DNA sequence: GTTACAAGTCAACGGCCGGTGACTTGTAAC
DNA sequence: GTTACAAGTCACCGGCCGTTGACTTGTAAC
């Protein structure tokens, strides 16, 4: 609103660049050490800036973190699935692919892991908002599968709620705990494949059962 | 080892009673406010004792908490199922009953919720130990079901790993988040029943599939 | 009662962390 | 160059929390 002559030159003292550095550091720290490590001094040091700037630019530490969350909506990732090739149908193999993708992505995204843990650890309106968005997107997908389950004995949303929840818990559990879950070692290739196969089986059971019971 | 004349009299200054008060306060606070609220001053105030006693008796705050965890193995609860009437078999309806029981118990046990969250939040050898015990107990149960799934296309342990994990995540999620999971509101009676029915369905699918594919 | 020791009290230290006031310095307009 | 202001620096406050040392007090043995 004041100095709008950006892009023309590159000053050494650049407020917007500093803000971006801080925001970027939030992401980097979140990914490396989790939300518990989001301390003012830590973030500032990582950004090679003075922590005072956090308060100058974002009002408070919370303001900075909120700004980061608003700018980085991690749950839009899945939309790529539809952007590339818009889905018109949702058959069993596609659902299995999405669930497996969810697992693999989460497994390799410490940032997402930390955010999910965060979401389980305390009430946060911002996180809620983002979850709501995700739900809204998921609903678009489920609409595509409704025709298979309408009037059947299968509640496909409930089954997926179970499977998605299971994936979340298993990934989080495996971060700090080396022990098995019901004898399954989710960190090993073998355990992972056992879980994947069971997920696949459950989804196929759903479609089969639905076909048999649809419209009674 | 020194003053062993307990039980005879009831002194006002009673070390063992004070220790128990502190341990009990740990449990009470854990249940009410979660593991994050386990502060020395907080615990001492709740026990109506001086916080110095924590260090006199348990060496450190961590020592007190560890002592509490060691004395209270929360996961033995499930064993009641077998103590009352030792299981010799594990049919589908029994498995469903156990899983539903798990859900309902966890739903009403803030203490367990906090401990599960704790387990997801940081590495803790004590918690690991307790989880291992639980795994060992679970394995006893699975052995009873092996005859149904040996040589079949169903990995019953993997399916249960998914369902148990799902239950854990859903309960934790519902503590702070009011939004739905895949359109299911786990906090409502309706949502709970939808989840229960799907769990039941999945277990029955397992037994049915196993019967059809056993020994190929 | 006297005594010795454990049980319990109290005040304080030191570290961490969010936040701030007052200062210095780079930059752009003139 | 001078000047004005934003960008950035630095030392510090105040609160919280784990931990401790030095003290007081109840209790049991004699």
């Amino acid at each position: 609103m004041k100095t709008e002559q950006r892009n023309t030159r590159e000053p050494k003292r650049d407020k917007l660049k500093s803000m971006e550095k801080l925001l970027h550091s939030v992401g980097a720290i979140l990914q490396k050490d989790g939300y518990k490590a989001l301390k003012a001094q830590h973030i500032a040091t990582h950004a090679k800036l003075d922590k005072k700037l956090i308060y100058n630019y974002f009002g408070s530490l919370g303001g900075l973190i909120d700004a980061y969350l608003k700018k980085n909506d991690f749950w839009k990732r899945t939309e790529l699935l539809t952007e590339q090739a818009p889905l018109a149908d949702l058959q069993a193999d596609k659902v299995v692919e999405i669930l497996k993708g969810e697992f693999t992505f989460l497994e390799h995204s410490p940032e997402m892991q930390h955010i999910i843990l965060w979401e389980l650890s305390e009430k946060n309106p911002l996180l809620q908002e983002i979850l709501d968005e995700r739900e809204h997107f998921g609903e678009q997908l489920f609409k595509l599968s409704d025709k298979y389950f309408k009037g059947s004995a299968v509640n496909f949303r409930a089954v997926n709620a179970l499977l998605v929840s299971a994936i979340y818990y298993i990934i989080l559990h495996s971060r700090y705990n080396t022990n098995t879950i019901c004898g399954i070692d989710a960190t090993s290739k073998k355990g992972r494949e056992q879980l994947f196969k069971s997920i696949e089986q459950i989804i196929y059971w759903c479609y089969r059962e639905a076909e048999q019971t649809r419209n009674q």
Side-chain angles (χ1 to χ4, degrees), chain A:
Chain A
M1 197 147 175
K2 287 171 183 175
T3 57
E4 289 300 337
Q5 73 287 22
R6 313 230 77 264
N7 299 345
T8 58
R9 252 165 289 190
E10 275 303 326
K12 314 271 182 190
R13 295 185 149 201
D14 191 329
K15 180 174 176 176
L16 270 73
K17 209 156 199 167
S18 294
M19 290 177 79
E20 275 165 26
K21 275 189 195 170
L22 288 171
L23 288 168
H24 176 262
S25 292
V26 170
I29 290 168
L30 192 53
Q31 185 158 7
K32 211 198 305 169
D33 307 315
Y35 74 95
K36 285 178 188 170
L38 290 178
K39 320 284 186 186
Q41 188 57 62
H42 193 182
I43 295 167
T45 303
H46 184 280
K48 288 169 186 162
L49 292 170
D50 193 279
K51 68 173 174 173
K52 181 65 191 295
L53 300 182
I54 293 172
Y55 303 93
N56 286 351
Y57 300 154
F58 300 96
S60 69
L61 178 58
L64 168 59
I65 294 171
D66 283 359
Y68 174 79
L69 290 178
K70 272 179 193 152
K71 290 288 169 199
N72 300 273
D73 190 336
F74 306 96
W75 283 275
K76 286 185 179 163
R77 169 193 49 84
T78 323
E79 297 187 33
L80 291 174
L81 280 171
T82 53
E83 276 170 14
Q84 288 169 355
L87 286 174
D89 194 9
L90 201 61
Q91 290 179 326
D93 52 357
K94 194 71 193 170
V95 176
V96 171
E97 186 191 321
I98 291 174
L99 288 173
K100 283 184 185 175
E102 194 80 12
F103 192 104
T104 308
F105 167 78
L106 195 50
E107 196 177 25
H108 296 99
S109 172
E111 187 169 22
M112 263 297 286
Q113 292 170 19
H114 284 120
I115 290 175
I116 291 177
L117 180 58
W118 192 355
E119 164 232 322
L120 295 182
S121 301
E122 57 188 51
K123 221 177 174 64
N124 184 323
L126 231 346
L127 292 174
Q128 281 252 15
E129 230 173 77
I130 293 169
L131 283 176
D132 279 340
E133 256 184 54
R134 180 160 172 69
E135 274 291 293
H136 180 259
F137 168 69
E139 185 53 31
Q140 304 302 106
L141 281 182
F142 281 121
K143 275 182 189 151
L144 300 177
S145 69
D146 277 343
K147 61 180 172 188
Y148 294 106
F149 300 98
K150 201 84 184 173
S152 80
V154 176
N155 188 324
F156 197 54
R157 280 172 180 75
V159 171
N160 276 278
L162 289 170
L163 294 180
V164 168
S165 298
I167 289 169
Y168 283 6
Y169 179 85
I170 288 170
I171 297 279
L172 290 183
H173 174 93
S174 304
R175 290 197 317 156
Y176 295 125
N177 300 283
T178 55
N179 45 25
T180 57
I181 306 173
C182 297
I184 305 295
D185 173 14
T187 64
S188 73
K189 189 160 291 185
K190 187 186 168 197
R192 242 185 58 142
E193 275 164 18
Q194 289 175 314
L195 292 172
F196 275 13
K197 196 185 167 203
S198 292
I199 289 172
E200 193 176 319
Q201 248 176 349
I202 290 170
I203 295 298
Y204 280 113
W205 285 334
C206 285
Y207 277 81
R208 192 178 66 186
E209 181 85 16
E211 192 167 357
Q212 289 170 1
T213 60
R214 205 171 340 142
N215 299 323
Q216 256 260 359

